[in-house]
Amino acid sequence: MTARSLFRNARLLDPATGLDRPGDLLVEDGRIAALGGKLTLAGEGETVDCAGACLAPGLIDLRVELREPGAEHQESMQSGALAAVAGGVTTMVALPNTDPVIDDMALVEFVARRSRDVSLARIRTYAAATKGLKGRELTEFGLLAGAGALAFTDGGQAIADAVVMRRALAYARTFDLLVMQHPEEPSLAAVGAMNEGEVATRLGLGGITPAAEVIMVERDLRLCEITGGRLHIAHVSTAAAIEAIRQAKRHGLPVTCDTAPHYFALNETAVGDYRTFAKVSPPLRGESDRRAVVAGLKDGTIDAIASDHSPHDQDSRHCCR
Amino acid sequence: MSAGTSSLAFPHRHLLGIEGLSPDEITLLLDRSEIYVEQSRQVDKKQSLLRGRTVINLFFENSTRTRTSFELAGKRLGGDVINMSVQASSIKKGETLIDTAMTLTAMHPDVLVVRHPESGAVQLLAEKVDCAVINAGDGSHEHPTQALLDALTIRRRKGRLQGLSVAICGDILHSRVARSNIALLNIMGARVRVVAPRTLLPAEIERLGVEVFHDMTAGLAGVDIVMMLRLQTERFHGSFVPSIREYFHFFGLDYAKLAVAKPDALIMHPGPMNRGVEIDTAVADDIDRSAIRQQVEMGVAVRMACLEVLTRELSNRAPAK
């Protein structure tokens, strides 16, 4: 007997085909059998009234941090995948900043095996761009890509050395691979706990200038230009960086970027009364930067929204020991 | 109660900062302090207002003068005062700030006087305990009793705060004293200037209601009060000024720079002083111009007033859970 489910009154969305219309969708034996304006259930089956909610293919979260291997008390692939499917995410791509670091084929294969074991959302992984995330020696891009690594990044830290970044982009181009950068000049970021400005000054906290982002972005765009290597800039959060990327795209550089929901939904005032749970990297910015992120999404300069999911235990989110 | 109760209420449970206090509340604290200045000058300095009350001085950062001042204040009001220096004990064993607070609160103190090297830590602690908390300095954020004792000193020497021109000079960036004083002087209607090299000023400081100068001659011209700040080299991460010699040459207070201030301009310093760094020894010790020793005297009185207003309406508490 065929198992049928009819989803009625949905907003049917499919970015791949450009579909966006109200209608119904019929599932038979776990596959979409029909979609259209008004469908009826032929025979037995359940009917779900979607009341105008969106019905879309599973979302792909292009950047999350999972803490497996190494810090499973903060997040395991199991708990991360449960959270993902609860939010409609059916595929997520993990950063390599685990312990040990995902910088070896065996660890890329470990992620694939654990994804099969967990069997909820599909978990793919990036590989470290440099061995041990130390920012010096490149990892085996070719072999790692062959094992399933989707791109190369040092995760939550920038590839700071310009020579290393240049070689990463040039070497990646050899195999047509992608390098993803955390865009932040580390020395400028190290002196602060939140965005630089009036709020930080009032709270007596060290500030991170928004320029820390555009400094790294502009450097990397130059390196992208001279190497031709494909560059993805993670979680852009400032007007200046977005404008630099907008211009680079106009000049035809192979660059893409994303942002995360907190950079268009919140600004630095969320840190307000020392709410350390609003401390993120890069930091929440001022209102004019937040508006620039919205504008960048609207005009397509920003290609994607990633969750930037970074699980921490409560104790480590409190300010100090 | 020997000192008599003022008609004005102090509607705050804690004293975490100057920001958020009203002119009336500050005036109340200063008026109460006057009584304790007199009391402290008597042979018999002790009274029984705080009899049966327990005050714990909880210092996560080295301090001699502030801790001693609070200790004397508590004892002169008849309270039981104990001192805890935590950098040496439980933090070393891995106990968190909150655990320390919970341990102490189970011993039923009535007031916790807390100093901590991180901005916001005292507020976090105040949220977790069920007694009154006085901020004795948190990071680069606030040091409210210092601003109150400075205000009391100025009021006694100049007769008012309203309309005075006050220059705060030196390491504004790292200074909680500066932030509390800027707040208090603005609330009380004084005009505030800050004078410092650009590396020692936090971003958008002018939004806190100050006029910014980078030159002592311009900054001190015509002021009533010169407040010097200690160069807090222990909070320096890297180089903010190239040398002590250069710093003193351009920003150290000596008679030549003081000459542009009002002839009766008062010199203040929160201590401990770095003689020959931010202030010339002869200026610091000038009995006609310097109020530095008087500031220390006012400190005890102000802290007695703070302890008084925060313990006025205590009631018996439930057993610790």
Side-chain angles (χ1 to χ4, degrees):
Chain A
M1 191 183 137
T2 309
R4 291 190 185 84
S5 301
L6 177 62
F7 296 89
R8 302 190 54 208
N9 302 322
R11 179 181 172 189
L12 300 171
L13 286 169
D14 180 23
T17 58
L19 176 75
D20 181 2
R21 56 164 291 188
D24 302 351
L25 183 138
L26 179 67
V27 175
E28 287 183 352
D29 290 334
R31 291 186 171 273
I32 296 170
L35 57 85
K38 275 268 176 269
L39 301 179
T40 47
L41 205 56
E44 294 288 297
E46 60 165 346
T47 301
V48 178
D49 185 356
C50 297
C54 294
L55 188 57
L59 301 175
I60 298 168
D61 191 343
L62 67 81
R63 191 178 54 260
V64 301
E65 291 183 14
L66 299 174
R67 296 289 186 243
E68 186 179 341
E72 288 83 352
H73 67 287
Q74 292 182 330
E75 182 90 287
S76 66
M77 297 214 187
Q78 173 82 18
S79 67
L82 281 167
V85 294
V89 171
T90 53
T91 300
M92 56 183 165
V93 193
L95 288 173
N97 53 344
T98 46
D99 181 16
V101 170
I102 313 281
D103 60 1
D104 186 276
M105 280 190 289
L107 286 149
V108 175
E109 284 158 8
F110 166 80
V111 175
R113 178 171 67 73
R114 290 289 295 133
S115 175
R116 286 195 301 276
D117 293 348
V118 169
S119 192
L120 287 160
R122 210 149 64 107
I123 303 169
R124 303 293 303 268
T125 191
Y126 299 116
T130 66
K131 287 176 189 163
L133 303 178
K134 293 193 192 312
R136 292 194 289 270
E137 298 171 66
L138 297 184
T139 56
E140 299 164 317
F141 283 18
L143 293 173
L144 286 162
L150 294 183
F152 297 84
T153 176
D154 277 359
Q157 64 198 59
I159 301 164
D161 187 303
V163 173
V164 174
M165 186 61 178
R166 178 185 182 173
R167 288 186 187 146
L169 285 164
Y171 192 69
R173 192 183 174 190
T174 313
F175 302 100
D176 192 27
L177 297 172
L178 179 68
V179 175
M180 186 163 88
Q181 174 73 308
H182 174 90
E184 191 169 60
E185 166 50 44
S187 59
L188 286 170
V191 299
M194 67 173 293
N195 191 48
E196 182 176 279
E198 183 186 350
V199 180
T201 292
R202 283 188 187 278
L203 293 173
L205 294 174
I208 301 172
T209 170
E213 182 168 285
V214 72
I215 287 169
M216 190 58 86
V217 166
E218 286 183 335
R219 184 201 77 172
D220 287 347
L221 290 172
R222 297 282 174 177
L223 297 175
C224 175
E225 192 174 10
I226 59 176
T227 59
R230 289 196 288 132
L231 171 66
H232 181 83
I233 300 168
H235 47 59
V236 292
S237 63
T238 62
I242 293 165
E243 182 55 28
I245 294 164
R246 187 177 285 128
Q247 295 306 325
K249 286 185 161 189
R250 206 164 281 163
H251 288 104
L253 290 191
V255 60
T256 50
C257 68
D258 69 80
T259 191
H262 35 287
Y263 299 116
F264 57 80
L266 298 173
N267 66 24
E268 61 186 347
T269 59
V271 182
D273 252 0
Y274 299 105
R275 292 183 61 243
T276 50
F277 284 70
K279 182 177 168 182
V280 288
S281 172
L284 297 177
R285 308 288 185 180
E287 176 61 12
S288 61
D289 281 326
R290 188 195 70 81
R291 285 169 186 269
V293 172
V294 173
L297 282 165
K298 269 188 175 167
D299 75 6
T301 302
I302 301 174
D303 302 274
I305 298 167
S307 72
D308 236 7
H309 177 71
S310 309
H312 293 275
D313 51 294
Q314 288 225 18
D315 288 340
S316 57
R317 295 297 286 167
H318 279 125
C319 75
C320 46
R321 306 182 24 84
Chain B
M1 198 187 310
S2 61
T5 308
S6 169
S7 57
L8 280 164
F10 190 78
H12 304 282
R13 188 162 168 233
H14 308 298
L15 179 65
L16 300 178
I18 296 296
E19 205 166 88
L21 296 184
S22 69
D24 284 348
E25 288 158 12
I26 290 167
T27 302
L28 165 72
L29 286 168
L30 299 182
D31 290 349
R32 299 300 303 164
S33 302
E34 295 283 1
I35 295 162
Y36 296 120
V37 173
E38 291 312 310
Q39 184 186 320
S40 292
R41 288 176 179 176
Q42 305 306 307
V43 175
D44 183 358
K45 299 173 182 61
K46 190 142 173 165
Q47 56 143 293
S48 58
L49 194 69
L50 253 62
R51 196 165 75 183
R53 312 285 183 276
T54 305
V55 179
I56 300 182
N57 288 332
L58 177 58
F59 278 60
F60 294 88
E61 192 180 73
N62 283 324
S63 163
T64 308
R65 51 182 65 217
T66 305
R67 203 210 61 215
T68 308
S69 183
F70 269 109
E71 184 176 356
L72 274 178
K75 286 180 170 168
R76 284 183 184 169
L77 289 173
D80 295 314
V81 184
I82 61 161
N83 296 316
M84 279 194 64
S85 290
V86 191
Q87 71 269 29
S89 61
S90 45
I91 295 296
K92 285 268 167 65
K93 297 174 198 152
E95 192 176 54
T96 66
L97 173 69
I98 293 166
D99 287 337
T100 306
M102 296 320 287
T103 302
L104 290 175
T105 199
M107 299 179 196
H108 295 308
D110 299 287
V111 183
L112 277 178
V113 177
V114 186
R115 167 168 288 191
H116 197 283
E118 299 289 340
S119 302
V122 178
Q123 181 175 319
L124 174 68
L125 194 140
E127 287 164 9
K128 305 290 176 186
V129 299
D130 62 354
C131 62
V133 173
I134 297 177
N135 182 0
D138 65 321
S140 303
H141 179 224
E142 282 241 34
H143 189 358
T145 58
Q146 179 71 42
L148 287 163
L149 75 88
D150 288 342
L152 183 63
T153 306
I154 296 170
R155 202 177 73 165
R156 288 172 69 97
R157 292 286 281 258
K158 298 290 178 190
R160 65 195 164 102
L161 292 164
Q162 172 90 33
L164 291 179
S165 181
V166 182
I168 305 176
C169 311
D171 186 0
I172 311 287
L173 180 67
H174 298 100
S175 179
R176 53 198 176 211
V177 174
R179 283 172 182 74
S180 288
N181 265 313
I182 289 168
L184 186 146
L185 292 165
N186 270 301
I187 292 167
M188 301 308 285
R191 295 192 310 275
V192 187
R193 301 171 172 192
V194 294
V195 191
R198 289 178 189 272
T199 48
L200 291 176
L201 284 169
E204 300 184 17
I205 182 76
E206 67 283 355
R207 314 236 348 201
L208 272 56
V210 298
E211 207 181 336
V212 181
F213 293 86
H214 309 290
D215 174 277
M216 288 289 272
T217 311
L220 297 192
V223 299
D224 298 283
I225 310 287
V226 182
M227 277 187 186
M228 299 308 298
L229 296 174
R230 188 170 63 84
L231 205 57
Q232 296 190 58
T233 46
E234 76 279 10
R235 290 188 210 281
F236 281 18
H237 298 288
S239 171
F240 288 82
V241 292
S243 73
I244 297 302
R245 182 171 71 170
E246 173 150 320
Y247 184 74
F248 183 77
H249 182 77
F250 290 101
F251 295 97
L253 186 68
D254 53 21
Y255 281 114
K257 298 190 190 89
L258 186 60
V260 298
K262 284 202 180 140
D264 62 345
L266 201 60
I267 299 156
M268 303 175 71
H269 192 299
M273 279 183 283
N274 297 311
R275 290 168 183 268
V277 178
E278 68 264 353
I279 189 162
D280 178 64
T281 281
V283 175
D285 295 338
D286 185 334
I287 51 168
D288 297 322
R289 308 294 296 274
S290 170
I292 295 170
R293 285 178 60 188
Q294 194 181 0
Q295 286 173 272
V296 179
E297 182 190 3
M298 295 305 118
V300 178
V302 155
R303 286 162 185 138
M304 290 171 82
C306 293
L307 287 170
E308 183 214 325
V309 299
L310 291 177
T311 53
R312 260 185 198 165
E313 290 174 30
L314 292 179
S315 51
N316 292 337
R317 269 175 289 156
K321 287 194 192 82

